[in-house]
Amino acid sequence: PAGPTFSSGIVELEVYPETDFTERFLGATIAIPANGTKALTLALCFGDDSVKTTARAAALAAHPDALSAHAKEYAQWFEKFAPRFYAPDPQMQKMWVYRWFVARYNLAEIGIGNLKEPAFYEGRQYYSRVIQYSTPHILDETRWLRDSRFAYGHINNLVASQFKGAAGKFDGEFPFLYVNSRSDLWYINWIDMAAWGVYKTHPRAEFFSTIAPALERNLRGMVAKYDGDHDYLYKLGGVD
């Protein structure tokens, strides 16, 4: 069957369904006369409210300089949330700016499924999910954002989907997390310590009633699974 259609203001664009999601594409035919030119502005927006999303895309497409408008809006996120750092070394300054670009680039504010709160993916091309191995590194960095909901959101998503009982590799395991599923594929991590760092940066009273019990459960389960002789040296395998 034909895929859903979207009004582009120029022609109807059709999403052609294929077996592999990565093969889907938007197709349109636009006539350009010999020696002629045609300027196009393509705006792509995602959202769970079709009316608002369509209106936003239409506004961008109609803007006389949509790219500059988008860049200005994108830059406002850094002005609002990124911490400031100034160094006489331009390379150090460039690295600082780039690190916060990477954080923003991998931010996922989906609001549904297993990612109801903000989360940061390990990457975009191959690692677009929440992964335990990178989570503590992400938390250690994003705790410095001016709004605590980003780091706390990442933790809360994991807590809400935590494996309990025999469901995962061990009781209390934090999952390998997708928006619509979770996996018990496990990497060694120091999420507990990183989460404590988030609390020290942005103290929240509810931390001890909501997050701390889950951290304790994760740590106790990890010790029981991988440190049977109690020498504090985990006996791991697989990806670790």
Side-chain angles (χ1 to χ4, degrees):
T5 58
F6 303 87
S7 175
S8 66
I10 302 174
V11 66
E12 287 298 308
L13 302 182
E14 183 177 358
V15 178
Y16 294 91
E18 300 287 346
T19 302
D20 185 351
F21 177 78
T22 60
E23 297 294 329
R24 298 185 183 186
F25 60 92
L26 295 174
T29 301
I30 300 172
I32 301 177
N35 300 316
T37 61
K38 184 70 174 181
L40 299 174
T41 299
L42 303 179
L44 180 63
C45 298
F46 295 91
D48 58 0
D49 186 319
S50 61
V51 175
K52 291 181 179 180
T53 305
T54 300
R56 178 168 172 74
L60 280 172
H63 196 285
D65 191 354
L67 184 59
S68 295
H70 171 71
K72 182 179 180 179
E73 180 181 328
Y74 197 86
Q76 288 173 349
W77 188 92
F78 300 96
E79 290 294 324
K80 186 175 182 180
F81 299 119
R84 300 295 187 267
F85 172 79
Y86 302 98
D89 185 339
Q91 294 302 317
M92 181 68 73
Q93 191 70 41
K94 186 175 182 180
M95 180 185 70
W96 177 264
V97 172
Y98 178 71
R99 286 307 311 153
W100 291 111
F101 163 76
V102 171
R104 173 64 182 86
Y105 184 72
N106 289 287
L107 172 62
E109 294 187 276
I110 299 173
I112 60 173
N114 295 327
L115 299 179
K116 290 183 173 63
E117 298 190 44
F120 294 87
Y121 291 159
E122 185 171 301
R124 279 294 178 181
Q125 184 173 3
Y126 298 112
Y127 304 101
S128 54
R129 68 214 68 158
V130 174
I131 300 176
Q132 314 96 322
Y133 184 77
S134 57
T135 282
H137 303 275
I138 290 169
L139 293 178
D140 215 31
E141 190 166 53
T142 59
R143 65 180 172 136
W144 299 111
L145 289 170
R146 297 181 184 184
D147 192 332
S148 63
R149 69 185 177 88
F150 294 110
Y152 271 104
H154 192 98
I155 300 170
N156 288 335
N157 289 321
L158 288 169
V159 169
S161 294
Q162 186 176 33
F163 285 109
K164 297 178 181 178
K169 279 190 168 55
F170 56 83
D171 179 45
E173 177 194 358
F174 287 129
F176 197 82
L177 196 59
Y178 302 84
V179 65
N180 61 345
S181 65
R182 64 177 181 170
S183 168
D184 67 353
L185 177 63
W186 186 79
Y187 293 84
I188 192 170
N189 61 78
W190 42 283
I191 292 175
D192 308 314
M193 181 178 178
W196 178 239
V198 173
Y199 171 79
K200 289 193 294 183
T201 308
H202 298 284
R204 286 188 180 185
E206 66 270 21
F207 178 91
F208 295 99
S209 61
T210 57
I211 296 174
L215 298 176
E216 179 183 2
R217 188 169 195 160
N218 171 68
L219 182 58
R220 290 187 182 279
M222 191 160 49
V223 169
K225 175 73 173 179
Y226 297 110
D227 188 26
D229 58 5
H230 306 293
D231 65 353
Y232 299 102
L233 298 175
Y234 290 176
K235 282 68 178 176
L236 305 172
V239 294
D240 296 304

